[in-house]
């Protein structure tokens, strides 16, 4: 089984926020494959089934972003999922909006959700899909920026980006990380 985790904050108040793009892609993957986030396990909403011929568990931690590791590490241990079989989808301020980057491993890069995952998993050696949300304008506080919804013109672009991100995850499942990186990191 492979574990695909979308990072975000729980609740309708945050659903369309920039910081919740990980949840948004997880929801899209579930919808594409007729899976429902119909149960809770280890403080995560989970959906399980087959995507691209692979048995997967989709998870959306229901703690706040900064505590995501408290949820993901117990899930991974329970299902005996090694780090290389984990994919984390999250927003990235340091990538231009609309950019996606798959990586086999890496540091937190200032992202508190990723820092929590690395701390609780005890490794940074797991694949991730970073989705660029760009930097805040002017002197705006990054914490306030990530909790804003996308503006209507940004939302049109991000709708396409979420589809591409789901395509990238499906390619990872079918052909592996190098193939997905070659196709979607250009």
């Amino acid at each position: 089984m492979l574990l695909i985790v979308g990072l975000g904050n729980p609740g309708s108040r945050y659903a369309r926020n920039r910081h919740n793009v990980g949840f948004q892609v997880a929801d899209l993957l579930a919808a594409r494959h007729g899976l429902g986030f119909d149960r809770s396990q280890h403080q995560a909403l989970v959906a399980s089934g087959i995507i691209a011929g692979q048995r997967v568990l989709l998870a959306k931690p229901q703690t706040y972003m900064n505590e995501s590791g408290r949820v993901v590490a117990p899930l991974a241990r329970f299902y005996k999922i090694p780090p290389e079989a984990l994919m984390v989808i999250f927003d990235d301020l340091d990538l231009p909006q609309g950019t996606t980057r798959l990586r086999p491993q890496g540091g937190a890069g200032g992202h508190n959700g990723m820092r929590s995952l690395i701390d609780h998993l005890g490794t940074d050696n797991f694949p991730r899909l970073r989705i660029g949300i760009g930097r805040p304008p002017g002197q705006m506080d990054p914490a306030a920026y990530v909790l804003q919804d996308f503006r209507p013109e940004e939302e049109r672009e991000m709708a396409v980006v979420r589809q591409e991100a789901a395509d990238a995850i499906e390619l990872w499942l079918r052909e592996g990380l190098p193939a997905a990186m070659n196709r979607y990191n250009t």
Side-chain angles (χ1 to χ4, degrees):
M1 179 180 287
L2 298 160
L3 175 58
I4 301 169
V5 177
L7 294 186
N9 286 311
S12 59
R13 172 182 170 199
Y14 302 104
R16 304 308 309 162
N17 287 179
R18 298 171 196 281
H19 219 18
N20 274 41
V21 74
F23 275 15
Q24 295 161 14
V25 173
D27 287 337
L28 177 58
L29 278 167
R32 277 186 180 183
H33 297 279
L35 307 178
F37 286 97
D38 51 8
R39 62 190 171 96
S40 181
Q41 187 174 5
H42 297 285
Q43 287 188 283
L45 291 177
V46 295
S48 58
I50 305 295
I51 297 178
Q54 299 287 337
R55 227 171 111 230
V56 301
L57 182 71
L58 295 170
K60 298 189 304 183
Q62 295 301 289
T63 57
Y64 286 102
M65 176 76 77
N66 299 352
E67 296 292 325
S68 298
R70 283 192 313 112
V71 174
V72 176
L75 268 177
R77 282 193 298 273
F78 181 82
Y79 287 101
K80 297 177 176 55
I81 296 172
E84 62 274 8
L86 166 67
M87 174 64 75
V88 180
I89 309 163
F90 65 102
D91 62 290
D92 193 324
L93 283 166
D94 292 325
L95 286 177
Q97 184 173 303
T99 305
T100 57
R101 289 287 180 271
L102 285 152
R103 293 285 183 257
Q105 63 188 29
H111 194 286
N112 290 330
M114 288 300 288
R115 182 174 299 117
S116 176
L117 281 171
I118 291 166
D119 289 348
H120 284 85
L121 291 169
T123 183
D124 65 1
N125 191 21
F126 54 88
R128 72 271 323 261
L129 174 59
R130 300 163 44 211
I131 300 175
I133 61 169
R135 300 295 303 171
Q139 299 297 314
M140 183 179 206
D141 177 21
Y145 176 72
V146 300
L147 294 177
Q148 286 184 337
D149 290 355
F150 292 105
R151 293 188 315 269
E153 64 276 10
E154 293 172 322
E155 179 53 40
R156 286 187 290 279
E157 175 188 20
M158 292 308 294
V160 172
V161 171
R162 285 190 288 273
Q163 294 287 343
E164 290 174 354
D167 293 344
I169 297 295
E170 291 169 349
L171 185 58
W172 168 67
L173 291 167
R174 274 193 315 276
E175 298 182 27
L177 191 59
M181 288 172 63
N182 285 338
R183 173 118 183 243
Y184 290 98
N185 285 359
T186 57

